[in-house]
Amino acid sequence: MRRGPLDLVRARPETPFEFSFDGEPVTALPGQTVAAALWQAGHLAWRRTRLGDRPRGAFCGMGACYDCLVELDGTPNVRACLAPVRPGALVRTQRGDGHGELR
Amino acid sequence: MANSADAVDGHDLGDRHERYDLAVVGAGPAGLAAAAAAAEHGVRVALLDSAPWPGGQFYRQPAAELRASRPQALHHHWPAFQRLLARLDVARERVTLLADHHVWSVTGGSGAFAVRALTGPDQRQARQLTARQVLFATGAHERQLPFPGWTLPGVVGAGGAQAMLKAGLVLPGRHVVVAGSGPLLLAVASCLVTAGATVPLVAEAADYLGYARGARVLAANPGKLVEGAQHGATLLRHGVRLRPRTAVVAAHGTDRVEAVTLGRLDAAWRPVPGSEWRVPCDAVAVGHGLVPQLELPLELGCRTRRLPDGSAALVVDAAQRTSVPGVWAAGESTGVGGVQLAVTEGELAGLAVAGQTAAPRELLRRRARQRAFAELMAARHAPGGGWTQWLDDATEVCRCEEVTARQVRDAVSELGAPDQRTVKLLTRAGMGWCQARMCGPAVARLCGAHDDGAPTRPLSTPVPLGLLAECDTPAPPSEGAPDDHP
């Protein structure tokens, strides 16, 4: 098997769990942020921009750029790179400012 | 505790708030060293950081649940970190570590400062403490220079890729082009290959030969050479090529990055026509050096200076005092210089706060040596003016507000906008969520500045309006310019 980050630091994570990303089940490791879990599953984008409807995901990885905003359990504008993911979480691609249903 | 901390902003706070001798904002290498040194000499310290654990960006670690038994495999200088934590543990009766605290405002003066933070899930819970003195160890974030396609998913900050790897043990892709400028790129590339990614190449816009002109400074900092050599050896072992005077001039793909175009640069960072070639990849890690995070100290009116790379940094005296009485600074906020300088400065600041006026000579010598290296580094990796030539009209300069290079240039040339602030008012560039952290240096340079422009922002982190309304202090000063650009 290909050597990855988990092997490198000899991680033996607690039991993986599932959460939902746009209705699809995604496996996460306990302790990962929403962004890390999505990267691990091969997803790089979880927001569509307000003006150009372009895909975006994590960029600065440290909470400074706000590019990774996502809808988490019904709350929009959550920074995916900071928010821990929990079992059964409902993660949805954020569209625009995340308040589309109010218009 | 002194009674002077009872009155902040002219209001008697009674027993509502916790009181400390010193509030250290930022628990990275500088903040940890400062807190340890001060606490060892009897100072009661509150150490605040937005992350759930101490270490800052440099010593970011996997979450406990990931149960990594060798986190140091992704780190340099790990034993130094362990020593700092051990010292804090010994002094634990005098140090209160407030992790997961996003400090958004520091106000007050003359021995009584109010520190306001947001904590709890989604950072919606307010917490306030008072301290007689404040020490900013707020670190830095990456300087970004846009290029066509840089908003594609898979193009991430070099520091961002490293942060996600260190904390979440994940990679953005399998084939990661590393590009930009500065020594961080070598560390990032070395981290990525060690963790299993392939790095087709590291594109460094500057010329490493430039370091040769600082031979004396290099000779005085052998540790830096060893560290560089270690990264170099790792890259060599994994067959990673370092290409100086080279930049990613475009990223390609529809919904994610699939390839980049690389180009040779001249000494002024102008792309050399006809030198372009294409490299397939599924991720790009990019960054053009680091810029100090200064929102909070600027709010208090601390003076800044320009570094050779155009960044603004806090002015400090020999004891790490800023221009504002009772306010101290250490680490990248006084000028980006790396982990060792940050620890040295934190140590000196902590001792000075504790009233230890005779600082050990060896520490002072070490700081001088390490600062000389920082200045050399800043000069060698200062962005050349030619980078703007790789922008096309449609390149989004401001990622938040989706403002293109064409819009910024029109504001400057057609509408006569003289500076970053006017461009912001005309185009909304820098007005979005990140408050110009990402686009500020680029917009300033597109306005003709040879530096990163004004670093001030009204708030260091978004704050619910209700909290602002509850605040009994006047609003912090808004937009301003560094002191060297009145």
Side-chain angles (χ1 to χ4, degrees):
Chain A
M1 212 192 112
R2 196 187 161 83
R3 193 177 155 85
L6 290 157
D7 310 308
L8 177 68
V9 299
R10 294 201 198 127
R12 287 211 288 286
E14 293 172 11
T15 317
F17 58 80
E18 283 194 345
F19 68 99
S20 154
F21 173 56
D22 287 341
E24 299 290 322
V26 173
T27 303
L29 298 175
Q32 284 182 325
T33 60
V34 172
L38 287 171
W39 270 23
Q40 183 171 264
H43 297 287
L44 290 176
W46 48 83
R47 180 168 78 89
R48 305 289 300 195
T49 62
R50 284 175 300 148
L51 307 175
D53 188 34
R54 301 295 304 148
R56 295 283 179 87
F59 183 71
C60 81
M62 53 179 266
C65 78
Y66 297 82
D67 242 354
C68 69
L69 295 178
V70 74
E71 189 185 306
L72 176 60
D73 293 327
T75 306
N77 298 316
V78 173
R79 281 175 281 180
C81 74
L82 297 184
V85 65
R86 299 201 170 82
L90 296 176
V91 176
R92 277 177 41 187
T93 291
Q94 171 159 335
R95 295 186 186 276
D97 59 12
H99 293 289
E101 74 281 5
L102 298 180
R103 300 228 174 82
Chain B
M1 281 296 304
N3 292 326
S4 57
D6 284 351
V8 167
D9 305 319
H11 294 258
D12 182 10
L13 297 173
D15 289 328
R16 280 193 298 144
H17 304 296
E18 307 149 66
R19 292 178 214 115
Y20 297 89
D21 296 327
L22 173 69
V24 176
V25 183
L32 288 170
E40 282 160 1
H41 290 88
V43 177
R44 278 199 61 224
V45 181
L47 175 57
L48 302 105
D49 198 283
S50 59
W53 51 81
Q57 296 305 325
F58 190 84
Y59 289 122
R60 236 173 199 260
Q61 312 144 66
E65 300 93 319
L66 289 164
R67 295 197 295 203
S69 54
R70 278 189 76 240
Q72 65 271 34
L74 284 166
H75 286 274
H76 273 81
H77 307 294
W78 188 256
F81 177 47
Q82 296 304 307
R83 280 196 298 274
L84 285 172
L85 292 181
R87 284 171 62 191
L88 280 181
D89 191 48
V90 169
R92 63 184 173 276
E93 282 182 6
R94 285 185 296 279
V95 181
T96 305
L97 174 64
L98 298 172
D100 194 24
H101 277 62
H102 299 244
V103 176
W104 64 273
S105 161
V106 178
T107 53
S110 48
F113 295 92
V115 179
R116 297 183 179 83
L118 294 171
T119 186
D122 306 334
Q123 297 103 48
R124 287 181 199 278
Q125 202 180 315
R127 178 154 181 180
Q128 181 171 332
L129 57 88
T130 65
R132 291 164 63 197
Q133 311 199 60
V134 180
L135 193 153
F136 290 111
T138 43
H141 59 79
E142 268 187 311
R143 178 191 290 112
Q144 292 296 345
L145 300 178
F147 51 88
W150 79 307
T151 52
L152 280 170
V155 180
V156 302
Q162 198 183 33
M164 295 278 287
L165 174 57
K166 284 179 178 176
L169 304 179
V170 288
L171 295 165
R174 304 289 290 271
H175 307 284
V176 191
V177 169
V178 177
S181 192
L184 179 68
L185 299 183
L186 300 181
V188 170
S190 140
C191 246
L192 291 171
V193 290
T194 313
T198 58
V199 173
L201 84 165
V202 178
E204 163 60 59
D207 196 335
Y208 266 93
L209 289 176
Y211 276 96
R213 279 177 222 132
R216 276 183 53 205
V217 175
L218 277 180
N221 288 274
K224 291 287 179 189
L225 288 178
V226 171
E227 194 180 337
Q230 283 169 344
H231 289 313
T234 305
L235 297 181
L236 204 62
R237 196 164 61 241
H238 288 87
V240 178
R241 275 186 310 164
L242 171 63
R243 298 285 302 237
R245 284 206 184 169
T246 303
V248 168
V249 295
H252 313 282
T254 45
D255 280 339
R256 60 178 293 167
V257 65
E258 291 159 11
V260 291
T261 296
L262 292 142
R264 290 277 293 162
L265 303 181
D266 68 13
W269 289 31
R270 280 182 299 245
V272 176
S275 70
E276 299 89 357
W277 77 105
R278 204 173 157 115
V279 170
C281 63
D282 57 9
V284 181
V286 65
H288 296 84
L290 301 173
V291 290
Q293 301 210 105
L294 303 179
E295 294 91 340
L296 295 167
L298 286 173
E299 196 181 310
L300 279 171
C302 295
R303 285 188 54 206
T304 59
R305 66 188 177 108
R306 285 284 173 203
L307 266 58
D309 66 346
S311 62
L314 294 176
V315 173
V316 287
D317 68 8
Q320 301 292 133
R321 242 182 244 109
T322 71
S323 61
V324 176
V327 181
W328 310 70
E332 311 291 51
S333 58
T334 72
V336 170
V339 62
Q340 289 153 315
L341 176 58
V343 169
T344 306
E345 288 194 358
E347 206 78 49
L348 283 166
L351 289 173
V353 169
Q356 304 291 307
T357 41
R361 293 186 91 84
E362 165 50 25
L363 268 185
L364 295 171
R365 272 198 298 267
R366 200 185 305 164
R367 180 179 59 189
R369 203 166 62 223
Q370 291 165 340
R371 275 198 187 149
F373 182 81
E375 298 267 329
L376 170 68
M377 187 178 75
R380 289 326 308 159
H381 296 282
W387 71 271
T388 56
Q389 292 185 12
W390 67 55
L391 297 173
D392 62 18
D393 279 355
T395 309
E396 279 177 15
V397 174
C398 169
R399 303 172 67 95
C400 301
E401 295 295 317
E402 298 166 74
V403 181
T404 62
R406 174 67 185 271
Q407 287 171 283
V408 172
R409 281 175 167 153
D410 281 355
V412 173
S413 56
E414 312 276 312
L415 303 173
D419 54 26
Q420 191 185 348
R421 187 165 183 274
T422 314
V423 166
K424 172 175 164 178
L425 295 173
L426 290 169
T427 67
R428 298 191 60 85
M431 213 178 266
W433 271 100
C434 89
Q435 292 287 287
R437 281 185 188 86
M438 295 303 122
C439 72
V443 172
R445 288 161 196 271
L446 280 169
C447 294
H450 298 292
D451 57 46
D452 291 330
T456 30
R457 276 152 221 111
L459 294 171
S460 64
T461 192
V463 177
L465 283 176
L467 259 185
L468 282 183
E470 283 168 22
C471 255
D472 48 7
T473 52
S478 56
E479 211 72 27
D483 305 311
D484 55 344
H485 288 234

